Amino acid sequence: MNDNTSLPEKDLRPGRHRHLKEHLMREIRQTPVPEAEEARTARRRKWLRPVVAGPALAGALALAVVAGIAMTGADGSATPVGREGKATYAFAPKVNADTTGGAAELLDRIATVAAHSPAGDTIRDDQFVYIRSRVAAATVGEGSETKLAALHRREVWLSVDGTRPGLLREPGGNQDNEVLERDPAPGELGYGQSTNYRHLQTLPTDADAMLKWLRSQGDSGDTERNPDQDAFVLVEGLLKESLMPPDVSAALFRAAAKIKGVVVVPDAVNAAGHHGVAVARYDAYNPGLRDELIFDSKSLQLIGSRSVATQATDSIEAGQVLSTAAVLERAVVDAKGRRP
């Protein structure tokens, strides 16, 4: 295989706390998290490779201001957003009245498309999956206005077999040339949630078996666990910044169709301003949030994701997009740091 093999575009989320506002205040003050809650949060976080890493994640769960505030658009211009009007990458008007049923049917169609994607039979262990995306997350600071940060470029190189350190270039997120640790090896803690291509090839290709596997990854000893939420979050984590084998991808989408509470958002906008259709679930741990996976309405390829506030608080406006991503390019390359 040459070093710039293009692959189909398919399309990443911060850890969870039970209370949105408490999480925000802890991040602002940088106070320690109580041990019991820290353990619960770690269990939920371990499945997720965030879209925007580092300090920007501190505000990704909690921001937004009153309707009508000016946000910075993708071209640097000020784009007004508010409760009414056309959806933008920064705002989802009528957020609690913009969903429909039909998620199972939509996900079955998406799975059919995924199953017919080109197989990666010639991908070598020593290669890297390259993903270029546009991302942004909300930021927060005491005594300052809270808003979605400027959209910026993110590039990541991930080892095909997980044995080699990866690379992250995201100057807009204050992370440039950051070395990413290798994935856990078989038998090591966290191996089950590894997103390298070789591990993903070992996952079930049957929808029922996949759903059973998704549910098995949660902590059965956690009495506050919500299996449906955990399964949906794990689906997100596996899809957002990885390369999925076609048969595994199809099984994952069909398993997602069996998760209770998944809905359709007919008009969702990714970080590149592309309108598509999303499958979403209201967060069981943070009831004021909704997580969305966005697909192109025609091709049904995964083109991005976003997290949307669904409840207003003292500092949050319902409809505010708290984190957003758009996948711009996906390929396999021969060396870390090399672009297609």
Side-chain angles (χ1 to χ4, degrees):
M1 174 179 269
N2 59 34
D3 66 355
N4 62 348
T5 304
S6 295
L7 293 167
E9 285 191 1
K10 301 184 168 117
D11 183 358
L12 305 104
R13 152 173 171 112
R16 295 303 199 186
H17 286 273
R18 293 184 59 212
H19 300 293
L20 179 62
K21 195 168 184 179
E22 290 179 6
H23 169 83
L24 172 62
M25 296 311 295
R26 269 195 301 271
E27 294 292 346
I28 292 173
R29 297 170 184 159
Q30 299 183 336
T31 56
V33 179
E35 182 177 354
E37 185 174 353
E38 184 176 357
R40 288 196 297 270
T41 301
R43 286 194 289 270
R44 293 163 191 154
R45 180 181 294 121
K46 67 182 180 181
W47 299 326
L48 311 172
R49 188 190 303 273
V51 175
V52 182
L57 285 183
L61 293 179
L63 300 168
V65 280
V66 296
I69 189 169
M71 302 294 292
T72 301
D75 60 356
S77 62
T79 304
V81 297
R83 283 188 176 277
E84 303 298 333
K86 186 177 180 180
T88 70
Y89 79 91
F91 202 83
K94 301 180 181 178
V95 66
N96 291 307
D98 62 351
T99 61
T100 68
E105 179 182 356
L106 174 61
L107 283 163
D108 184 69
R109 291 167 52 209
I110 292 170
T112 299
V113 171
H116 290 88
S117 298
D121 297 336
T122 59
I123 297 176
R124 304 192 312 269
D125 286 350
D126 63 339
Q127 292 181 305
F128 288 82
V129 174
Y130 168 80
I131 302 151
R132 177 169 62 90
S133 56
R134 173 177 288 177
V135 301
T139 53
V140 64
E142 287 187 279
S144 62
E145 181 182 73
T146 57
K147 63 180 181 179
L148 196 67
L151 295 169
H152 59 271
R153 178 189 182 112
R154 174 183 170 94
E155 294 176 290
V156 65
W157 288 261
L158 304 172
S159 171
V160 164
D161 67 359
T163 64
R164 297 163 180 79
L167 178 66
L168 169 64
R169 287 179 178 167
E170 190 182 352
N174 298 318
Q175 296 175 100
D176 200 10
N177 293 318
E178 178 177 332
V179 175
L180 302 176
E181 295 181 3
R182 67 167 179 83
D183 279 359
E188 293 181 348
L189 182 65
Y191 172 73
Q193 291 81 38
S194 298
T195 57
N196 69 74
Y197 190 74
R198 292 297 178 233
H199 175 252
L200 295 176
Q201 284 183 305
T202 70
L203 298 187
T205 56
D206 172 79
D208 289 330
M210 175 63 82
L211 183 60
K212 182 177 180 180
W213 179 83
L214 291 170
R215 294 184 181 281
S216 74
Q217 298 306 299
D219 185 350
S220 59
D222 186 351
T223 58
E224 297 181 4
R225 178 184 173 219
N226 184 301
D228 290 321
Q229 179 66 22
D230 290 348
F232 188 78
V233 169
L234 182 50
V235 169
E236 289 184 280
L238 293 173
L239 286 170
K240 286 183 178 179
E241 199 160 67
S242 68
L243 176 65
M244 293 288 293
D247 53 351
V248 174
S249 180
L252 192 64
F253 288 126
R254 292 195 168 102
K258 299 174 180 288
I259 298 173
K260 295 179 181 179
V262 179
V263 295
V264 175
V265 183
D267 184 21
V269 187
N270 73 3
H274 188 114
H275 287 252
V277 58
V279 291
R281 194 174 195 280
Y282 290 86
D283 192 327
Y285 298 118
N286 287 312
L289 292 177
R290 185 176 75 191
D291 300 315
E292 303 175 0
L293 293 169
I294 307 172
F295 300 84
D296 182 90
S297 299
K298 295 181 180 179
S299 71
L300 297 182
Q301 297 289 336
L302 187 58
I303 60 171
S305 61
R306 67 180 184 178
S307 180
V308 182
T310 61
Q311 295 180 14
T313 69
D314 292 343
S315 59
I316 301 172
E317 177 73 10
Q320 173 76 40
V321 174
L322 306 179
S323 63
T324 180
V327 175
L328 304 177
E329 187 174 16
R330 203 174 282 266
V332 170
V333 297
D334 280 347
K336 178 174 58 180
R338 182 174 296 176
R339 297 184 176 95

